[in-house]
């Protein structure tokens, strides 16, 4: 028997999507991870000082690109100051200076950063070498603040690591010991010995102790400095450790319990026992690090995949070129998937929801507010419109003017919510204004009408079913796997069309109808 024409067309679309994706995997080595968006950080050093007609200098470490981090868009702004970049053993140093500074002066240096998380595996059979090249000798020496030769440090090492037989065991013992110190906010330089005696330290004290113990155990190690990037403004830098293992500098962070691991938001600025900035004394110096994050296309898209057919390169580039957030592209790509979830729940399972695409739209809007606040906003709109519906209905207000009144009420409600959220620091709730207000208003009006026609119980049941579909659509559309899949293989939109064609001719009993008519179905089976 021949397939019906609609079935044949749907199967062709699905097979075409599979064939295109297979060709990309087989012939062009497409991999999901290449399409994972990266978090791009816009970082600004904001420095200020007061001059009194005397020479002033200010130096700070500037970031450089390496295998793990990419630095772009570096912009210096320092009116009246001479600026230079001086490469050094510890890192690149930016230096601002003037022979005569007068009054309040501001300096800024901005750049963009994309980092990769790195996890290192240390072979459990690896032994600590007895000899290292001369280039590593400095990383085994004691210093003023890293007292690797002090008897108390040696005693601690013997107590925690003397019985360890390999590199992994020694580093694990050192990491656990330094990490158990009581964390304290930065109050100045804390050397390794002081950290031991106080039993507490900030990141720099813990890291110096880690380095001292590692050098005592004949493992070359060094301090690393930088900034942990999180949105907002901050005045704290960070220090962690790198140990030399089998030709690699492997990161450790006892304060944050990162063992042989560095997160993607760790900005590395320098190596060694240094400070992020130095300056002329007595100039009323002040500073802030300002950080903003956004999603960005994986740089691989602009490199090795740029010449490959059927890739997202042009689309990424177009969005980037006009300053449109990459997150919007993800919403556009995943909205059909959310709508497909709604179609399955309505046509196959038998859910009754307010509107066809409302659950998918609420799920999209909830990406900014979070699912919890998204549901709260939806219920608030349902409540206020329902309250307003009854007097308007009683007064005989026509449908269109009634919708306009309700829309105004919803807008006022959202503005009040945003004002409250900003005032109380609930920034995610402030994004409630991004919700599709018109669609919400119409759906809320339907809820009120549902009460009139079928009663409050039925209206509440439809609301609960809508919320269930919103939750499931939210998690499907926010799945990193789904995001990556459709970014890498947008041709599967053809498969969604094909599946919806098949779904559109669904004539079977919906799942919930088996429950509703279970008595009738059981009687028929008995007969």
């Amino acid at each position: 028997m021949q397939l019906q024409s609609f079935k044949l067309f749907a199967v062709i679309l699905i097979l075409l999507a599979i064939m295109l994706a297979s060709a990309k995997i087989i012939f062009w080595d497409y991999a999901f991870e290449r399409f994972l968006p990266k978090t791009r950080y816009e970082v600004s050093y904001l420095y200020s000082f007061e001059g009194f007609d005397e020479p002033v200098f200010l130096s700070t470490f500037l970031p450089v690109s390496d295998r793990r981090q990419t630095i772009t868009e570096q912009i210096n702004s320092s009116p009246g100051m001479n600026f230079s970049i001086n490469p050094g053993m510890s890192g690149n140093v930016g230096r601002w200076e003037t022979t005569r500074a007068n009054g309040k002066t501001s300096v800024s240096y901005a750049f963009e950063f994309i980092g990769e998380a790195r996890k290192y595996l240390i072979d459990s059979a690896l032994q600590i070498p007895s000899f290292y090249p001369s280039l590593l000798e400095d990383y085994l020496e004691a210093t003023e603040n890293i007292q690797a030769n002090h008897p108390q440090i040696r005693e601690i090492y013997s107590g925690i690591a003397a019985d360890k037989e390999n590199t992994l065991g020694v580093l694990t013992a050192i990491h656990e010991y330094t990490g158990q110190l009581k964390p304290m906010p930065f109050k100045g330089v804390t050397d390794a010995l002081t950290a031991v005696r106080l039993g507490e330290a900030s990141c720099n004290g813990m890291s110096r102790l880690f380095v001292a113990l590692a050098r005592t155990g004949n493992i070359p190690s060094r301090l690393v400095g930088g900034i942990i990037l999180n949105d907002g403004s901050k005045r704290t830098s960070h220090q962690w450790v790198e140990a030399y293992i089998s030709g690699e500098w492997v990161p450790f962070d006892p304060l944050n319990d990162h063992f042989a691991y560095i997160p993607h938001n760790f900005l590395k600025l320098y190596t060694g026992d240094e400070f992020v900035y130095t300056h002329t004394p007595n100039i009323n110096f002040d500073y802030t690090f300002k950080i903003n994050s956004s999603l960005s296309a994986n740089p691989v898209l602009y490199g090795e995949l740029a010449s490959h057919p059927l890739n997202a390169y042009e689309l990424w580039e177009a969005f980037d070129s006009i300053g449109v957030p990459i997150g919007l592209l993800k919403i556009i790509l995943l909205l059909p998937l959310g709508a497909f979830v709604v179609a399955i729940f309505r046509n196959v399972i038998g859910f009754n929801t307010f509107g066809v695409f409302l659950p998918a739209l609420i799920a999209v809007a909830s990406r900014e507010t979070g699912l919890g606040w998204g549901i709260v906003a939806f219920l608030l709109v349902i409540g206020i419109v329902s309250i307003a519906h009854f007097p308007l209905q009683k007064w005989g207000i026509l449908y269109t003017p009634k919708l306009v009144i309700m829309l105004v009420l919803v807008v006022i409600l959202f503005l009040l919510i945003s004002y409250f959220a900003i005032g109380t620091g609930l920034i995610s709730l402030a994004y409630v204004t991004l919700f599709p207000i018109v669609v919400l208003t119409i759906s809320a009006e339907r809820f009120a009408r549902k009460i009139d026609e079928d009663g409050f119980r039925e209206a509440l049941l439809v609301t609960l079913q809508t919320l269930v579909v919103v939750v499931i659509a939210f998690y499907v559309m926010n799945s990193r796997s789904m995001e990556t899949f459709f970014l890498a293989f947008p041709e599967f939109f053809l498969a969604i069309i094909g599946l919806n064609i098949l779904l559109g001719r669904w004539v079977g009993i919906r799942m919930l109808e088996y429950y509703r008519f279970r008595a009738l179905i059981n009687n028929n089976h008995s007969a």
Side-chain angles (χ1 to χ4, degrees), residues 19-76:
M19 290 171 59
L20 289 173
S22 300
K24 291 163 74 171
I25 294 172
I26 295 171
F27 298 110
W28 295 299
D29 192 28
Y30 268 58
F32 287 173
E33 60 269 16
R34 297 183 178 186
F35 288 85
L36 280 174
K38 299 291 184 180
T39 302
R40 174 173 56 195
Y41 293 92
E42 298 174 2
V43 184
S44 297
Y45 297 165
L46 303 176
Y47 296 145
S48 66
F49 59 87
E50 234 177 311
F52 303 96
D53 290 328
E54 295 178 350
V56 170
F57 83 90
L58 166 63
S59 295
T60 190
F61 281 101
L62 305 179
V64 295
S65 297
D66 58 26
R67 290 184 301 167
R68 192 196 70 84
Q69 64 183 34
T70 302
I71 308 297
T72 57
E73 306 296 331
Q74 301 178 72
I75 301 174
N76 166 58

Side-chain angles (χ1 to χ4, degrees), residues 399-450:
Y399 181 74
T400 303
K402 181 169 63 175
L403 275 184
V404 173
I405 294 171
M406 292 179 174
L407 177 62
V408 172
L409 291 174
V410 172
V411 169
I412 293 173
L413 173 65
F414 276 12
L415 290 176
L416 290 174
I417 292 174
S418 296
Y419 181 77
F420 168 78
I422 294 171
T424 56
L426 299 172
I427 302 302
S428 59
L429 179 58
Y431 284 104
V432 73
T433 51
L434 298 177
F435 270 47
I437 294 175
V438 175
V439 178
L440 276 180
T441 305
I442 295 174
S443 300
E445 193 277 336
R446 290 180 182 173
F447 173 81
R449 188 190 300 176
K450 191 77 172 175

Side-chain angles (χ1 to χ4, degrees), residues 32-232:
F32 287 173
E33 60 269 16
R34 297 183 178 186
F35 288 85
L36 280 174
K38 299 291 184 180
T39 302
R40 174 173 56 195
Y41 293 92
E42 298 174 2
V43 184
S44 297
Y45 297 165
L46 303 176
Y47 296 145
S48 66
F49 59 87
E50 234 177 311
F52 303 96
D53 290 328
E54 295 178 350
V56 170
F57 83 90
L58 166 63
S59 295
T60 190
F61 281 101
L62 305 179
V64 295
S65 297
D66 58 26
R67 290 184 301 167
R68 192 196 70 84
Q69 64 183 34
T70 302
I71 308 297
T72 57
E73 306 296 331
Q74 301 178 72
I75 301 174
N76 166 58
S77 177
S78 53
M81 301 282 288
N82 296 318
F83 175 68
S84 61
I85 298 178
N86 308 293
M89 293 294 294
S90 296
N92 276 9
V93 177
R95 183 179 175 90
W96 294 267
E97 55 188 337
T98 180
T99 56
R100 186 178 182 183
N102 188 21
K104 188 76 175 248
T105 301
S106 296
V107 166
S108 71
Y109 190 85
F111 55 90
E112 293 185 358
F113 162 89
I114 296 177
E116 293 183 8
R118 288 281 180 90
K119 176 67 178 176
Y120 296 79
L121 297 178
I122 302 174
D123 189 347
S124 59
L126 182 66
Q127 301 297 308
I128 298 176
S130 57
F131 173 79
Y132 292 98
S134 58
L135 291 174
L136 296 174
E137 289 179 357
D138 288 346
Y139 303 112
L140 291 167
E141 297 292 331
T143 68
E144 180 183 357
N145 292 320
I146 302 173
Q147 302 96 330
N149 291 327
H150 194 279
Q152 193 168 350
I153 298 294
R154 290 187 175 278
E155 181 182 355
I156 292 170
Y157 179 82
S158 297
I160 65 173
D163 61 337
K164 308 303 179 185
E165 299 180 353
N166 52 50
T167 303
L168 178 60
V170 170
L171 289 172
T172 299
I174 293 173
H175 182 80
E176 291 176 351
Y177 178 80
T178 53
Q180 56 84 35
L181 296 181
K182 181 181 179 181
M184 297 294 291
F186 176 75
K187 295 181 179 179
V189 175
T190 303
D191 60 54
L193 201 55
T194 301
V196 169
R197 291 171 175 173
L198 294 178
E200 60 184 34
S202 62
C203 61
N204 73 82
M206 288 187 187
S207 296
R208 288 190 181 96
L209 178 57
F210 189 113
V211 171
L213 290 169
R215 291 181 181 182
T216 300
N218 203 42
I219 299 175
S221 55
R222 65 189 183 186
L223 292 174
V224 180
I227 304 172
I228 300 178
L229 301 180
N230 296 303
D231 281 342

Side-chain angles (χ1 to χ4, degrees), residues 328-344:
L328 180 59
L329 175 59
K330 292 166 61 178
I331 290 174
I332 293 172
L333 288 173
L334 292 174
L335 189 57
L337 182 63
F340 182 51
V341 170
V342 178
I344 291 175

Side-chain angles (χ1 to χ4, degrees), residues 267-331:
L267 167 65
K268 181 177 178 179
L269 296 175
Y270 63 85
T271 59
D273 202 345
E274 305 284 354
F275 297 95
V276 173
Y277 57 81
T278 56
H279 58 81
T280 304
N282 304 319
I283 57 172
N284 196 23
F285 177 75
D286 197 11
Y287 70 98
T288 300
F289 304 125
K290 185 177 180 181
I291 304 157
N292 292 306
S293 68
S294 61
L295 287 177
S296 176
N298 191 327
V300 173
L301 289 175
Y302 301 102
E304 58 190 88
L305 293 182
S307 60
H308 290 183
L310 300 174
N311 69 76
Y313 171 73
E314 296 294 340
L315 196 55
W316 285 108
E317 189 176 43
F319 270 69
D320 268 349
S321 66
I322 61 175
V324 176
I326 297 302
L328 180 59
L329 175 59
K330 292 166 61 178
I331 290 174

Side-chain angles (χ1 to χ4, degrees), residues 466-518:
T466 300
L467 289 178
V468 169
V469 179
V470 166
V471 171
I472 295 174
F474 175 84
Y475 283 109
V476 170
M477 296 173 68
N478 281 275
S479 164
R480 179 57 64 92
S481 298
M482 287 297 178
E483 289 177 2
T484 306
F485 184 81
F486 279 93
L487 287 170
F489 304 109
E491 56 269 20
F492 270 91
F493 284 129
L494 298 175
I496 288 182
I497 294 175
L499 291 171
N500 274 282
I501 289 174
L502 297 176
L503 192 62
R505 295 296 299 269
W506 175 271
V507 293
I509 298 178
R510 294 167 182 168
M511 293 181 182
L512 291 182
E513 290 173 346
Y514 279 103
Y515 177 77
R516 290 175 57 194
F517 303 115
R518 61 189 182 280

Side-chain angles (χ1 to χ4, degrees), residues 353 359 362 371 374-375 378-379 462-472:
T353 62
I362 297 300
L371 181 61
I375 292 175
F378 174 72
L379 294 176
V462 174
T463 302
L464 292 175
Q465 292 180 63
T466 300
L467 289 178
V468 169
V469 179
V470 166
V471 171
I472 295 174

